[in-house]
Amino acid sequence: MKNKRKDSIDGYLYALDGIRAVSLLLIYIFHLWQQSWIFYRVQIGDKTLLDLTIWQRYGYIAIDIFFVISGFCLFYPIAREMFGECKHTTWKQFYIKRARRIIPGYYFVLIMLLIFPVFSYGVSASTPPGELLKHYGLHALFLHIYNNSTAGTTAGTAWTLGVEAAFYLVFPLAAAMFKKHPIGAFFALFALGQGTRLFIAANLELTQVAVDFPLGYADIFGAGMLSAYFTVMLRNRFDMKRTEGFMTVISVLLIMMIYFYTKWMGSAKLEGYDAQTYHRLLYRFILAWSAAALILTSVYSIPLWSRIILGNRVFVFLSSISYSFFLWHQNIHIMLKELNIPHSDMNPVMNDKKAMIGFSLLSITLSLAISVFSTYVIERPIAKYGFKGAFLRIFKRS
């Protein structure tokens, strides 16, 4: 399945689009289930043909897959540079590119939430100005994840950007370690990440600030970095065409492993922990390693799997708008619930199945619409031309 723009990008990996798109869908149906209580099952009589219940309940695990993908994408150009596939990029260029990629869409969300508080989570039009300044100021500086009163507020999914921003600050050091000794660097990050999580589990109150402290994600990003290194190293040292069948089998087995891990994690019980915290603090590395291996094996799978199934046009499109979609969808849920759209007199409204079906359809439609606008009107022009260049182009057109 050809895509001229993508095919013209050197080193482009279609399988990565598919994994990113599926991860986005898992997060979306998890958040949608939280608001609607609708379970996605296809049944004929007593026979269940399709049951997405487990992913609806535990789709939050895909957050970690996103962090693995982020680590992969950050280190992939550096790995290519190590093997002479592309030119050196300075750290100044790296941070400029990251700012152009992350800030426009994120600040667009914050501005819109400030103008229309009905979209916001945890703040409203009646929130005192000082509190508003704290919430929006800390969010704008990516520091909201360090305060329990602002972590998870305003833009519901933006806590992940606080974790990302923290990793960007130390990424040059992590990259230097990986360039010298990739495997050793990965296990150093694993010791740091797992050690942090175990310390938090044993000694701290399990607030959102503690559970999502950035050091606890060190090895999750590291798993993606290691996957990027091996992705480039293997194609430079071996004929990977010969391994496509084997890689495809391993890729499918890894998906099954992630499924069974999710099923086990959801049923595991430990006093003092819910399933989500249990996963995040104790066994997060299992999913991260599996996701990193899944990326690697999917990239070198047979074309039917890597290009046609994972790299299909729908997944490529969802991947292209995934950042904005991820930022917006939960706040759209909040807005629809706050305005009672579709209207329902039931309490709780989740008992009104007809209204919740309408809610779901409106949610996906509005999420897609605003994500497409943000991606193609705001984010991509700035990513391509820079903040000043994009503004000048708009000014010239007008």
Side-chain angles (χ1 to χ4, degrees):
M1 186 172 292
K2 293 291 184 180
N3 183 312
K4 292 182 179 179
R5 188 184 72 82
K6 295 289 190 290
D7 289 339
S8 68
I9 299 176
D10 187 29
Y12 193 87
L13 304 174
Y14 279 86
L16 200 62
D17 275 327
I19 295 171
R20 183 187 284 114
V22 172
S23 299
L24 179 68
L25 291 173
L26 291 181
I27 293 167
Y28 175 74
I29 66 171
F30 166 65
H31 286 147
L32 186 61
W33 169 75
Q34 284 184 316
Q35 302 297 329
S36 69
W37 293 356
I38 294 178
F39 286 104
Y40 302 143
R41 294 191 186 98
V42 178
Q43 292 180 297
I44 296 180
D46 294 332
K47 187 175 182 180
T48 301
L49 302 180
L50 178 67
D51 189 350
L52 299 181
T53 301
I54 187 173
W55 301 117
Q56 289 179 265
R57 287 185 178 276
Y58 309 114
Y60 56 77
I61 66 164
I63 290 290
D64 292 309
I65 300 177
F66 264 121
F67 285 132
V68 171
I69 292 172
S70 180
F72 184 99
C73 292
L74 290 175
F75 194 70
Y76 183 60
I78 298 174
R80 296 188 66 213
E81 174 198 325
M82 290 170 63
F83 288 91
E85 291 187 6
C86 64
K87 296 180 180 179
H88 172 71
T89 299
T90 66
W91 288 117
K92 179 181 178 180
Q93 291 171 320
F94 168 80
Y95 282 113
I96 290 174
K97 186 176 181 180
R98 285 293 88 199
R100 289 178 177 179
R101 177 69 184 94
I102 297 298
I103 290 177
Y106 179 47
Y107 277 19
F108 174 58
V109 170
L110 293 182
I111 290 170
M112 293 301 290
L113 297 185
L114 187 59
I115 296 172
F116 303 105
V118 71
F119 280 98
S120 297
Y121 181 75
V123 295
S124 67
S126 61
T127 301
E131 278 293 302
L132 281 178
L133 180 63
K134 180 179 74 172
H135 283 275
Y136 282 93
L138 290 179
H139 273 77
L141 296 172
F142 301 94
L143 298 176
H144 52 290
I145 62 171
Y146 305 106
N147 186 314
N148 277 315
S149 67
T150 59
T153 68
T154 312
T157 57
W159 67 268
T160 59
L161 292 186
V163 176
E164 288 271 355
F167 187 71
Y168 292 164
L169 293 178
V170 300
F171 180 69
L173 175 60
M177 293 167 57
F178 266 80
K179 289 177 75 172
K180 289 185 177 180
H181 200 303
I183 296 177
F186 166 70
F187 279 107
L189 290 181
F190 172 66
L192 177 61
Q194 185 70 357
T196 299
R197 295 191 293 269
L198 292 178
F199 175 82
I200 291 170
N203 298 282
L204 300 182
E205 181 183 355
L206 300 182
T207 62
Q208 185 167 350
V209 169
V211 174
D212 292 324
F213 192 68
L215 282 181
Y217 289 88
D219 56 320
I220 312 304
F221 287 100
M225 294 173 69
L226 189 66
S227 181
Y229 170 79
F230 277 112
T231 294
V232 179
M233 183 273 285
L234 288 175
R235 71 182 178 217
N236 278 273
R237 294 185 180 176
F238 303 99
D239 179 8
M240 298 308 294
K241 287 283 185 182
R242 298 182 177 183
T243 67
E244 286 182 346
F246 173 76
M247 289 293 196
T248 304
V249 172
I250 299 301
S251 179
V252 173
L253 289 175
L254 283 165
I255 291 175
M256 294 174 62
M257 178 177 174
I258 291 172
Y259 168 78
F260 284 114
Y261 166 77
T262 305
K263 191 173 181 179
W264 167 80
M265 181 271 301
S267 62
K269 302 295 181 184
L270 188 66
E271 187 176 354
Y273 292 87
D274 58 26
Q276 191 172 109
T277 305
Y278 190 75
H279 158 71
R280 288 183 172 182
L281 291 181
L282 300 182
Y283 296 111
R284 172 181 276 160
F285 70 93
I286 296 175
L287 178 66
W289 293 10
S290 300
L294 176 62
I295 294 172
L296 176 63
T297 55
S298 296
V299 164
Y300 292 117
S301 295
I302 60 174
L304 173 64
W305 179 248
S306 63
R307 290 290 297 266
I308 297 177
I309 296 177
L310 290 178
N312 70 76
R313 290 183 185 274
V314 174
F315 283 175
V316 169
F317 167 71
L318 287 176
S319 178
S320 71
I321 66 168
S322 60
Y323 176 59
S324 285
F325 191 98
F326 177 78
L327 284 178
W328 271 106
H329 74 276
Q330 195 171 26
N331 286 82
I332 287 173
H333 293 164
I334 293 164
M335 180 270 293
L336 292 174
K337 278 294 186 66
E338 185 70 20
L339 297 177
N340 194 20
I341 301 174
H343 178 78
S344 176
D345 293 322
M346 287 193 181
N347 187 21
V349 68
M350 288 81 84
N351 290 331
D352 188 340
K353 189 172 182 180
K354 184 178 179 180
M356 289 299 94
I357 291 173
F359 172 88
S360 301
L361 293 175
L362 275 172
S363 164
I364 188 67
T365 301
L366 292 174
S367 296
L368 286 172
I370 199 165
S371 300
V372 168
F373 175 84
S374 180
T375 300
Y376 291 98
V377 177
I378 297 173
E379 298 166 35
R380 288 206 172 175
I382 293 176
K384 185 175 183 179
Y385 302 109
F387 293 93
K388 182 179 178 181
F391 176 77
L392 290 176
R393 286 177 68 85
I394 294 172
F395 182 75
K396 288 178 180 178
R397 288 174 183 173
S398 61

